[in-house]
């Protein structure tokens, strides 16, 4: 449904985004959500036919040549960066694709209901819990949870987003986290199995095998469906990187699609710039 002020698609209601995704599945197509850290990325992700664009603060670091893990570090205000990318780079250049805002739900400085109102007013159609603490483990994770900055705050953010009619697509790393997100109304659950491998700034070895990624992704989907069978499920991270990887995991699970950030935006830029620059440098001086 077009925005009456602009004639373009954003923002969509929660149900309108769900209807669009269901229509894609009814056409026999997998769902593809893509991270965009720049306007030019978003413009051509939309032209390529992706179903959702997600704005992460890590996109700015990624497209500046740094590892996506920088988005989890104290190198800037994650919520402010995502809003800035959306307002000045992505939302002005996309025509119809729903745009989702990465929200750092555990930021203790934010009145989260107030921040989500600003997200909605900006023209985003939904939210994603990034930076997420679901991918932090060990003693540091325990400290985050005990000091009120853990995954529970991300769950609470999604509960508020549901009340505000914002679509939500959420990262989880365990079946229990999937159940918790489903209970507060998450529309889509992404099984995060680790940092994406490959490229110039990705990790060099997968955090898990493809066999484990398939097993864990299915466990997460099964757990979410125990609560709500109408949730959309996505794969992300670790060894799931290329289109063939996605075909493999979709053929061996009953999930609906893939979320690509580094694997779509960064990898595409790295290889195309490398190849094009080499082609130009292959030109001989003097026409010889």
């Amino acid at each position: 449904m077009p925005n009456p002020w602009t004639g373009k698609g954003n923002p969509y209601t929660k149900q309108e985004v769900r209807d669009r995704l269901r229509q894609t599945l009814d056409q026999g197509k997998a769902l593809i959500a893509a991270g965009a850290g720049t306007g030019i990325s978003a413009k051509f992700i939309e032209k390529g036919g992706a179903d959702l664009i997600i704005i992460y603060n890590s996109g700015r670091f990624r497209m500046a040549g740094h590892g996506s893990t920088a988005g989890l570090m104290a190198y800037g205000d994650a919520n402010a960066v995502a809003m800035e990318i959306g307002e000045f780079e992505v939302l002005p250049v996309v025509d119809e694709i729903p745009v989702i805002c990465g929200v750092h739900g555990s930021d203790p400085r934010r009145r989260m209901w107030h921040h989500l109102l600003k997200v909605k007013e900006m023209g985003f159609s939904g939210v994603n819990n990034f930076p997420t603490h679901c991918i932090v483990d060990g003693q540091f994770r325990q400290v985050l949870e005990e000091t009120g900055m853990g995954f529970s705050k991300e769950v609470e953010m999604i509960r508020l987003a549901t009340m505000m009619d914002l679509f939500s697509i959420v990262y989880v790393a365990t079946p229990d986290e999937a159940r918790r997100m489903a209970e507060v109304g998450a529309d889509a659950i992404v099984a995060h199995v680790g940092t994406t491998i490959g490229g110039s700034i990705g990790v060099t070895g997968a955090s898990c095998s493809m066999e484990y990624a398939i097993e864990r992704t299915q466990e997460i989907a099964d757990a979410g469906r125990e609560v709500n069978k109408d949730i959309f499920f996505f794969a992300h991270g670790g060894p799931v990187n290329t289109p063939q990887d996605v075909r493999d995991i979709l053929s061996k699970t009953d999930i609906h699609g893939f979320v690509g950030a580094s694997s779509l935006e960064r990898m595409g830029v790295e290889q195309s710039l490398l190849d094009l620059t080499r082609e130009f440098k292959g030109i001989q001086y003097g026409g010889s």
Side-chain angles (χ1 to χ4, degrees):
M1 175 174 195
N3 182 322
W5 300 104
T6 66
K8 297 184 179 182
N10 288 290
Y12 293 96
T13 66
K14 179 185 180 80
Q15 189 59 50
E16 286 169 346
V17 179
R18 292 185 59 88
D19 290 345
R20 287 170 62 94
L21 298 183
R22 178 53 58 187
Q23 183 178 20
T24 297
L25 292 176
D26 289 345
Q27 294 169 355
K29 300 176 182 177
L31 300 177
I32 303 298
T38 67
I40 195 71
S41 298
K43 180 177 289 190
F44 284 91
I45 285 168
E46 178 173 32
K47 288 181 182 296
D51 299 287
L52 300 171
I53 288 175
I54 306 177
I55 307 301
Y56 305 100
N57 75 313
S58 60
R60 173 156 293 173
F61 293 107
R62 181 165 52 243
M63 300 311 287
H66 310 297
S68 298
T69 304
L72 294 170
M73 306 300 288
Y75 300 149
D77 184 333
N79 283 315
V81 169
M83 291 286 278
E84 183 179 282
I85 294 172
E87 181 176 13
F88 298 114
E89 298 191 46
V90 172
L91 287 168
V93 301
V94 298
D95 288 323
E96 200 228 358
I97 185 171
V99 181
I100 309 301
C101 185
V103 176
H104 191 190
S106 59
D107 184 345
R109 305 165 303 166
R110 288 291 198 283
R111 294 172 296 161
M112 193 47 61
W113 62 270
H114 184 245
H115 181 65
L116 292 179
L117 286 173
K118 291 192 288 184
V119 167
K120 188 169 186 177
E121 182 183 37
M122 185 73 69
F124 289 100
S125 297
V127 296
N128 167 256
N129 60 325
F130 193 88
T132 176
H133 292 163
C134 79
I135 57 176
V136 178
D137 58 13
Q139 183 178 2
F140 185 46
R141 173 67 179 270
Q142 183 178 346
V143 169
L144 290 170
E145 298 292 344
E146 292 180 356
T147 54
M149 292 176 280
F151 186 75
S152 295
K153 297 296 289 291
E154 298 174 34
V155 175
E156 173 63 13
M157 183 270 288
I158 296 302
R159 186 188 71 81
L160 291 172
T162 299
M163 293 173 62
M164 294 180 182
D165 197 35
L166 284 162
F167 177 86
S168 57
I169 177 168
V170 301
Y171 284 122
V172 305
T174 68
D176 179 64
E177 290 170 352
R179 292 186 194 94
R180 293 173 65 187
M181 283 298 196
E183 287 168 355
V184 295
D187 295 287
I189 289 177
V190 186
H192 198 308
V193 296
T195 304
T196 302
I197 65 169
S200 66
I201 52 176
V203 296
T204 57
S207 54
C208 65
S209 66
M210 180 60 82
E211 290 73 20
Y212 176 85
I214 291 168
E215 180 181 356
R216 176 46 62 100
T217 297
Q218 187 62 61
E219 289 173 351
I220 285 170
D222 290 343
R225 285 196 182 96
E226 291 174 6
V227 179
N228 180 2
K229 62 181 177 60
D230 294 324
I231 292 173
F232 300 98
F233 293 95
F234 293 76
H236 175 80
V240 187
N241 186 14
T242 68
Q244 187 55 52
D245 295 333
V246 176
R247 291 187 189 98
D248 288 345
I249 199 166
L250 263 62
S251 71
K252 296 172 182 176
T253 64
D254 58 7
I255 65 170
H256 305 102
F258 173 67
V259 173
S262 293
S263 53
L264 264 161
E265 183 179 34
R266 174 172 63 80
M267 300 291 195
V269 169
E270 286 182 0
Q271 194 59 49
S272 62
L273 285 177
L274 180 66
D275 293 344
L276 187 59
T277 303
R278 284 176 173 171
E279 185 176 351
F280 273 111
K281 281 300 293 178
I283 299 171
Q284 298 297 308
Y285 175 67
S288 59

